């Protein structure tokens, strides 16, 4: 059912309902630091979508190879099963505007030159047990020219 526990928000466990969870992440200027987060999903959850939305404009480094990456995995160290393989969502010298979004279901990019988020082939998007899935954002190779922030959103339904 749909219920609320003191201080924990709303929990959706009824079959057929679509739920979204979200987390905000500041993206600091400094490169090569993992920006990690996770989502707890109930038993029977099928992940249906993932999105990364810019909430405070940022700009990647100016040189070739400077980028911002995103991945989703079953393990906190990204050594489990990839649900979304590491994806270059913003390439070098890219300004990511507030409201720009990379989303699996829409197959859109957060900025021109970025790659589309996609579920890995054969990814275990369903689990009969409750589980935690983990994501990681990384500023690669060089510092950002301007720090920013994103919101990571996961959608699921209990089947």
């Amino acid at each position: 059912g749909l219920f609320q526990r003191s201080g924990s928000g709303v929990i959706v466990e009824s079959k057929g309902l679509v739920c979204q969870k979200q987390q905000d992440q500041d993206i600091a200027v400094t490169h090569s630091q993992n920006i990690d987060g996770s989502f707890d999903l109930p038993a029977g959850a099928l992940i249906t979508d993932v999105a990364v939305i810019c909430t405070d404009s940022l700009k990647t480094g100016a040189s070739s190879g400077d980028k911002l990456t995103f991945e989703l995995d079953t393990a906190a160290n990204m050594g489990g099963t990839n649900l979304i393989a590491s994806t270059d969502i913003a390439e070098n010298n890219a300004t990511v505007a507030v409201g720009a979004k990379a989303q699996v279901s829409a197959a859109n990019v957060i900025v021109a030159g970025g790659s589309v988020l996609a579920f890995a082939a054969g990814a275990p998007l369903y689990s009969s047990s409750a589980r935690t899935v983990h994501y990681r954002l990384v500023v690669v190779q060089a510092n950002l020219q301007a720090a920013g922030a994103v919101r990571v959103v996961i959608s699921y339904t209990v089947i």
Side-chain angles (χ1 to χ4, degrees), residues 19-33:
C19 180
Q20 288 187 329
K21 291 187 172 191
Q22 60 188 25
Q23 290 182 350
D24 291 330
Q25 294 286 356
D26 291 330
I27 309 296
V29 170
T30 309
H31 71 89
S32 302
Q33 295 184 11

Side-chain angles (χ1 to χ4, degrees), residues 57-68:
S57 182
L58 60 94
K59 186 169 185 177
T60 57
S63 298
S64 177
D66 298 347
K67 56 191 166 189
L68 177 65

Side-chain angles (χ1 to χ4, degrees), residues 21-27 33-41 47 50-52 69-79 81 83-84 131-138 150-154:
K21 291 187 172 191
Q22 60 188 25
Q23 290 182 350
D24 291 330
Q25 294 286 356
D26 291 330
I27 309 296
Q33 295 184 11
N34 298 336
I35 303 157
D36 293 338
S38 62
F39 295 106
D40 294 326
L41 302 176
I47 300 168
V50 175
V52 179
T69 65
F70 176 85
E71 68 182 298
L72 184 71
D73 199 279
T74 58
N77 66 358
M78 301 296 126
T81 302
L83 303 176
I84 297 175
R131 66 175 171 168
T132 302
V133 295
H134 307 270
Y135 65 86
R136 175 170 288 164
L137 292 144
V138 180
V150 297
R151 176 169 293 150
V152 179
V153 181
I154 191 167

Side-chain angles (χ1 to χ4, degrees), residues 55-120:
T55 57
D56 185 11
S57 182
L58 60 94
K59 186 169 185 177
T60 57
S63 298
S64 177
D66 298 347
K67 56 191 166 189
L68 177 65
T69 65
F70 176 85
E71 68 182 298
L72 184 71
D73 199 279
T74 58
N77 66 358
M78 301 296 126
T81 302
N82 269 146
L83 303 176
I84 297 175
S86 183
T87 304
D88 302 345
I89 59 174
E91 292 290 342
N92 64 297
N93 214 32
T95 299
V96 182
V98 172
K101 172 176 68 172
Q103 184 175 7
V104 172
S105 67
N108 58 346
V109 295
I110 202 165
V111 66
S115 297
V116 172
L117 289 179
F119 291 126

